[in-house]
């Protein structure tokens, strides 16, 4: 028989384990600031409850989610987690694509495989979220198999992209939210095929272009930072490439990333620029303290940490106010000129 003390110790261990792991399965780091987080979350929980009631009413109607100012406003204020998968599927067009192609995902899994692609994906399995208990081989069910299927299917669906590092993290987040393999596949297709074209192709031209576009937007809106980067010869790709490749995964807290993705699925790639510009503008004085190349790189790492990025509700309000006007026409024009420059430099 197990002694009373041992049983109590095990229960306490379990309780601390629950606290140590967030609702998505990620282990919290040892230096995690529980006090600040709990202060924020107790208030945020009230907001979430209020939003959930409003969303339930909105989704009860039979009109779907047509583009409207009301839907945009609701999405910007955050989609409750219980509705997130449904809303992402509808607003991104993934639901329509899935319904128009019944059985297609299964066919991809059953079809002939490219061995090189499969091996590359297998290699990345253990590197994907080692801090998430649901992706560990010991987990039951282990999400590695689901992730593997989604990535292999996508690599054969979009042969011009195949597989590229970064896609594993994005697919992983989609799986955690949808808890559905096929839906994750179609959402990945919406992101890579339509919302972020050419980010993950072998040359990553879309990704490189957008990093340069951010540099030009900073030059227009936060010129002192652009001047600092020029003076020390810091290329934008050195400080923001992971923001773009991983769509802020492992850069910002999970809840904040999901709030960004809510808007990304509805409003498109412009949201990435809004987040990046707001982070830089909000910390302009801090970044300008940098005196050299490594110092600048370090400042850019530090601005994605702390209470400011944890408080996702305030953070999301600021991305729509701090950067000011940001028209898609401006972004597309900058994309054109930046792309031409990159092609000329080859």
């Amino acid at each position: 028989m197990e002694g009373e003390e041992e049983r109590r110790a095990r229960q306490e261990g379990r309780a601390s384990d629950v606290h140590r792991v967030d609702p998505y399965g990620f282990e919290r780091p040892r230096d995690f600031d529980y006090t600040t987080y709990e202060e924020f979350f107790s208030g945020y929980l009230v907001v979430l409850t209020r939003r959930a009631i409003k969303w339930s009413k909105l989704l009860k109607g039979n009109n779907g989610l047509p583009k409207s100012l009301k839907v945009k406003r609701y999405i910007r204020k955050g989609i409750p987690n219980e509705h997130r998968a449904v809303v992402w599927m509808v607003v991104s067009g993934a639901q329509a694509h899935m319904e128009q192609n019944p059985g297609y995902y299964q066919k991809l899994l059953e079809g002939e495989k490219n061995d090189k692609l499969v091996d590359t994906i297998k290699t990345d399995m253990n590197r994907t979220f080692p801090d998430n208990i649901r992706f560990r081989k010991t987990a039951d069910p282990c999400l590695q198999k689901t992730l593997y299927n989604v990535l292999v299917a996508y690599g054969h669906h979009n042969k011009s992209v195949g597989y590229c590092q970064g896609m594993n993290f994005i697919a992983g987040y989609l799986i955690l939210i949808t808890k559905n393999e096929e839906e994750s596949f179609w959402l990945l297709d919406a992101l890579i095929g339509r919302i972020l074209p050419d980010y993950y192709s072998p040359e990553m031209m879309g990704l490189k272009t957008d990093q340069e576009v951010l540099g030009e937007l900073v030059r227009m809106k936060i010129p002192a930072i652009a001047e600092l980067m020029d003076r020390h010869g810091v290329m934008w790709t050195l400080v923001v490439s992971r923001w773009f490749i991983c769509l802020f995964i492992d850069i910002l807290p999970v809840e904040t990333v999901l709030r960004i993705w809510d808007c990304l699925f509805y409003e498109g790639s412009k949201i990435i620029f809004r987040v990046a510009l707001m982070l830089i503008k909000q910390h302009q004085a801090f970044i300008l303290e940098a005196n050299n190349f490594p110092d600048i790189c370090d400042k850019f790492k530090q601005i994605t940490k702390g209470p400011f990025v944890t408080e996702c509700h305030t953070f999301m309000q600021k991305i729509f106010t701090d950067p000011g006007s940001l028209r898609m026409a401006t972004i597309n024009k900058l994309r054109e000129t930046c792309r031409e420059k990159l092609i000329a430099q080859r």
Side-chain angles (χ1 to χ4, degrees):
M1 287 284 290
E2 189 183 34
E4 186 60 34
E5 276 183 40
E6 286 158 328
R7 192 159 60 246
R8 198 180 302 125
R10 276 180 59 189
Q11 282 174 341
E12 282 170 7
R14 267 202 301 273
S16 66
D17 276 354
V18 168
H19 206 52
R20 207 169 46 82
V21 176
D22 77 9
Y24 305 98
F26 290 98
E27 289 178 323
R28 291 183 164 131
R30 285 188 176 178
D31 60 351
F32 185 77
D33 186 347
Y34 288 97
T35 311
T36 305
Y37 180 76
E38 277 161 17
E39 275 171 18
F40 150 70
F41 204 77
S42 57
Y44 187 47
L45 209 54
V46 178
V47 174
L48 286 177
T49 309
R50 198 167 60 238
R51 300 309 313 159
I53 294 163
K54 293 196 170 194
W55 270 101
S56 293
K57 281 182 188 169
L58 183 71
L59 294 169
K60 265 183 189 159
N62 295 319
N63 305 327
L65 286 168
K67 289 263 180 190
S68 71
L69 286 173
K70 183 181 182 178
V71 172
K72 185 196 267 191
R73 191 174 72 247
Y74 270 43
I75 288 173
R76 285 184 174 188
K77 287 183 177 179
I79 305 166
N81 217 27
E82 63 263 38
H83 299 307
R84 205 162 239 144
V86 171
V87 176
W88 283 5
M89 285 294 288
V90 173
V91 301
S92 66
Q95 186 70 36
H97 277 76
M98 186 169 82
E99 287 169 7
Q100 286 156 16
N101 297 279
Y104 176 69
Y105 176 70
Q106 207 50 45
K107 273 184 200 157
L108 288 169
L109 290 179
E110 290 163 5
E112 267 189 58
K113 305 287 187 298
N114 175 323
D115 292 342
K116 194 180 171 190
L117 177 80
V118 166
D119 288 345
T120 310
I121 291 169
K122 274 183 182 166
T123 305
D124 266 2
M125 282 300 101
N126 288 329
R127 297 178 191 160
T128 309
F129 301 134
D131 60 339
N132 190 301
I133 59 171
R134 296 176 197 170
F135 282 93
R136 291 197 183 137
K137 281 183 176 167
T138 49
D140 184 25
C142 170
L143 291 182
Q144 276 196 18
K145 177 64 180 161
T146 310
L147 178 64
Y148 169 82
N149 284 350
V150 170
L151 293 172
V152 166
Y154 193 76
H156 289 88
H157 161 70
N158 187 344
K159 290 187 173 71
S160 64
V161 167
Y163 171 73
C164 143
Q165 279 187 339
M167 284 167 60
N168 50 332
F169 295 107
I170 292 166
Y173 255 50
L174 295 173
I175 290 161
L176 287 171
I177 295 304
T178 63
K179 300 177 178 66
N180 181 297
E181 210 175 286
E182 187 174 4
E183 287 179 4
S184 298
F185 166 82
W186 287 109
L187 282 169
L188 188 66
D189 183 49
L191 279 171
I192 293 174
R194 297 189 295 284
I195 297 170
L196 308 167
D198 233 6
Y199 264 42
Y200 302 94
S201 57
E203 287 196 349
M204 291 182 151
M205 187 52 85
L207 181 82
K208 290 173 185 171
T209 301
D210 278 3
Q211 289 171 171
E212 294 303 314
V213 169
L214 176 63
E216 292 305 314
L217 289 169
V218 170
R219 198 174 299 284
M220 289 156 62
K221 291 176 177 287
I222 323 162
I225 297 289
E227 196 274 323
L228 176 81
M229 300 286 278
D230 290 345
R231 190 163 11 110
H232 293 284
V234 182
M235 291 164 67
W236 280 101
T237 186
L238 290 171
V239 289
V240 300
S241 63
R242 284 187 65 231
W243 297 6
F244 284 85
I245 291 171
C246 295
L247 306 178
F248 300 102
I249 293 172
D250 278 353
I251 307 289
L252 297 174
V254 182
E255 203 59 51
T256 308
V257 174
L258 294 173
R259 288 288 302 271
I260 292 166
W261 284 25
D262 289 345
C263 298
L264 180 64
F265 278 119
Y266 188 74
E267 298 185 50
S269 57
K270 179 164 63 169
I271 295 300
I272 301 172
F273 295 109
R274 281 203 166 278
V275 175
L277 286 168
M278 190 274 289
L279 278 169
I280 296 164
K281 193 169 186 183
Q282 182 72 26
H283 299 93
Q284 179 174 355
F286 175 70
I287 297 167
L288 290 173
E289 289 170 9
N291 296 315
N292 53 46
F293 191 111
D295 211 6
I296 293 170
C297 296
D298 189 54
K299 299 275 185 202
F300 269 87
K301 279 185 188 142
Q302 288 185 55
I303 66 172
T304 59
K305 294 175 172 64
F308 176 71
V309 295
T310 301
E311 292 171 11
C312 57
H313 206 55
T314 315
F315 182 94
M316 290 307 290
Q317 287 168 344
K318 280 184 170 290
I319 76 164
F320 295 108
T321 53
D322 279 24
S325 170
L326 189 61
R327 292 173 63 239
M328 205 61 215
T330 307
I331 290 170
N332 286 334
K333 204 170 179 184
L334 286 171
R335 276 176 170 160
E336 223 172 276
T337 53
C338 289
R339 194 182 176 91
E340 281 168 12
K341 270 186 206 165
L342 285 165
I343 289 167
Q345 285 166 14
R346 277 176 179 172

